[in-house]
Amino acid sequence: MAGQSDPQLSLFSAEEVEFIAEDEMVEIVPNLRMDALNFVCGDFGPFFPQLATQVPLWLAVALKKRGKCTIRPPQWMTVEKLTQVLEAERDSQRVFEQLPFHYVEISRLLFDHARDDIPDVYMVRSLIEDIRDVRFHKVETNLESLNERAFALKINNLSAMEVNIVRPFVGRALQAFYKHDSPDLIPDQDRVSDRRPQVANNATRRHLRR
Amino acid sequence: MAKYYDIDDIITDEEIVAVIFQKAASGVGIDPSSETDCVEVGSKVELPFWLAHELQQRQAVSMNIPTSFNQNTRLEIQADSACVDLRSRCPYFYEFGCKIAPLVGARNIGPLLLSAFKSRYKEVLTKAHTAAFTAASKNLTILTKEETNLYEAAQSSMAAFKKWRMGGPRFQKASILGRKRKSTE
């Protein structure tokens, strides 16, 4: 894939995933007046004081660094919502909760740059860490069920950073399983045409952005 | 032919196979234990795989099952495959098995490989992503090259993620800038 830092491992580096995450829109409240900004990706503004606008995250962080706005945390980033998500994650063994695709990166960027804009920032931070741990543990448990019948893996509601971490491992493991299961190596096994992936959670596929 | 340049493939071909010569060969110093340069019919010689493969295609030798796949190993794998030290027997266990299987004519190598890999894979998985460095070193020495690849892939991606999470400067200074200019005196 183009744009990877290490094509051998088919891995995006964490910074690259963060870079992609910065395209998400967030809401900001500017504190001064500015004309419309014209960028290649679109036009944003004009900005009026105390009127909320939607801008991409990279622009929000840049404005925040210059002290020109405050960032409003996204809807999912409240203590109540996150506690709910955490409870749901802990309850089910195979199902992942619906979280924004880039929640790890967005939360980290907001903690780094807009710490004072988030109410209960320590609580939110620890909740997100817990959610991340629980989800990752779930991913690992589910991966143990891979066996030779699986040649594709489908896990729903997994976020970008989690996918990035397991991507090289899962790719290689699936390849190895496929190689060892080829018909000339195992002549006696009856080749059932039932080659469905093992982790078969039924839900919609995630649509790639634009 | 796609594997011609693959280093792992080349080293896999270096593994030793015991063969039995069907035709006499003269003038070759293959067998180090014989006094003369000739190899008799029916004598057992240890050859690297690439040579044995070629000779088998010309029907000059017949290959036996290599020692890495013999009954001892098979029993050990069936007992507890996660602890079998595959690297000391044959660091390219799986690749070599895949190559040998159609040539030697033993039908049970394939399933053996598969079952061994399946059970060892679970071990690799659990240790790969999360284990601390010291705890994992015992497991590392018994993995074959292929499993080590898997393990390292997971380790490096996890380490990169952790490093990113710690924060730190987002720009990396080019190493050439850090070098101080040496004084010329």
Side-chain angles (χ1 to χ4, degrees):
Chain A
M1 289 202 285
Q4 290 171 281
S5 45
D6 191 354
Q8 284 295 68
L9 291 181
S10 76
L11 177 70
F12 284 107
S13 80
E15 287 87 4
E16 284 163 356
V17 180
E18 187 187 18
F19 187 70
I20 298 174
E22 281 177 347
D23 268 343
E24 300 277 336
M25 302 297 264
V26 295
E27 205 168 308
I28 63 163
V29 178
N31 56 12
L32 47 65
R33 200 190 157 110
M34 203 160 40
D35 285 335
L37 296 170
N38 304 99
F39 292 114
V40 170
C41 60
D43 302 330
F44 308 108
F47 300 103
F48 300 103
Q50 313 310 325
L51 274 188
T53 17
Q54 293 258 340
V55 293
L57 188 56
W58 54 268
L59 183 55
V61 168
L63 287 177
K64 175 78 185 175
K65 272 193 195 161
R66 289 160 177 77
K68 293 197 197 301
C69 72
T70 63
I71 304 185
R72 213 178 263 178
Q75 301 285 21
W76 52 270
M77 212 166 173
T78 56
V79 176
E80 299 85 30
K81 268 272 174 78
L82 288 176
T83 330
Q84 235 176 6
V85 169
L86 185 58
E87 294 298 314
E89 290 277 350
R90 285 199 174 132
D91 285 337
S92 70
Q93 260 304 314
R94 305 206 106 198
V95 175
F96 289 88
E97 282 302 303
Q98 182 80 260
L99 269 180
F101 190 49
H102 292 281
Y103 77 96
V104 183
E105 299 89 76
I106 297 181
S107 58
R108 184 180 162 265
L109 279 171
L110 288 183
F111 289 140
D112 278 349
H113 300 289
R115 182 166 289 212
D116 40 345
D117 292 337
I118 306 175
D120 287 332
V121 60
Y122 293 112
M123 192 69 188
V124 170
R125 184 173 198 152
S126 77
L127 277 173
I128 290 194
E129 297 279 315
D130 287 341
I131 290 179
R132 211 171 41 79
D133 279 335
V134 170
R135 283 167 70 102
F136 196 67
H137 187 68
K138 251 200 249 182
V139 166
E140 283 188 2
T141 336
N142 282 340
L143 279 185
E144 278 177 18
S145 65
L146 257 194
N147 67 5
E148 71 269 18
R149 292 278 168 194
F151 59 82
L153 197 61
K154 182 171 155 192
I155 308 181
N156 301 308
N157 294 334
L158 208 57
S159 77
M161 193 52 90
E162 290 156 3
V163 165
N164 195 43
I165 293 179
V166 299
R167 191 198 322 258
F169 183 79
V170 170
R172 291 245 177 106
L174 282 177
Q175 237 176 14
F177 272 123
Y178 181 70
K179 194 173 70 160
H180 291 312
D181 197 30
S182 67
D184 47 319
L185 274 188
I186 310 188
D188 293 333
Q189 210 176 27
D190 47 325
R191 308 243 105 220
V192 183
S193 59
D194 174 26
R195 282 196 139 214
R196 264 194 310 232
Q198 288 303 107
V199 193
N201 301 321
N202 298 321
T204 55
R205 279 181 188 276
R206 190 206 134 73
H207 295 289
L208 293 177
R209 283 188 61 191
R210 274 130 232 183
Chain B
M1 268 303 135
K3 293 204 163 177
Y4 190 67
Y5 290 108
D6 188 11
I7 295 277
D8 283 336
D9 205 52
I10 296 175
I11 304 182
T12 309
D13 277 346
E14 274 289 319
E15 298 285 338
I16 302 289
V17 176
V19 302
I20 299 184
F21 268 79
Q22 312 288 359
K23 302 188 185 152
S26 61
V28 288
I30 292 185
D31 193 359
S33 59
S34 67
E35 299 91 25
T36 66
D37 277 349
C38 303
V39 186
E40 311 284 318
V41 176
S43 61
K44 203 159 163 223
V45 184
E46 307 255 315
L47 295 180
F49 175 74
W50 49 270
L51 188 54
H53 186 45
E54 288 297 316
L55 291 178
Q56 170 142 6
Q57 280 184 333
R58 290 165 223 269
Q59 270 126 23
V61 302
S62 69
M63 279 205 271
N64 297 336
I65 301 184
T67 48
S68 330
F69 298 96
N70 63 3
Q71 199 58 23
N72 273 351
T73 321
R74 205 178 297 262
L75 287 174
E76 276 189 31
I77 287 182
Q78 273 163 2
D80 183 7
S81 49
C83 304
V84 176
D85 189 355
L86 282 184
R87 187 190 276 194
S88 63
R89 284 164 214 263
C90 175
Y92 289 91
F93 190 69
Y94 299 108
E95 293 90 347
F96 194 44
C98 293
K99 287 190 185 209
I100 282 280
L103 299 173
V104 170
R107 319 249 295 183
N108 40 12
I109 288 189
L112 168 72
L113 284 185
L114 182 59
S115 61
F117 183 62
K118 245 176 36 186
S119 25
R120 284 167 71 100
Y121 159 76
K122 283 175 72 155
E123 289 291 318
V124 173
L125 167 65
T126 50
K127 301 247 177 69
H129 275 124
T130 54
F133 183 60
T134 50
S137 52
K138 168 199 161 268
N139 199 333
L140 273 188
T141 50
I142 67 176
L143 299 178
T144 72
K145 190 78 173 38
E146 191 171 329
E147 290 162 349
T148 320
N149 277 347
L150 264 185
Y151 183 88
E152 267 164 25
Q155 276 278 351
S156 61
S157 66
M158 194 66 186
F161 169 69
K162 287 205 171 113
K163 187 166 153 229
W164 170 78
R165 212 165 56 86
M166 300 299 281
R170 292 184 65 182
F171 296 110
Q172 278 179 328
K173 207 168 160 192
S175 56
I176 195 166
L177 293 177
R179 259 179 256 151
K180 290 199 168 83
R181 217 177 319 170
K182 290 204 186 82
S183 62
T184 51
E185 280 82 23

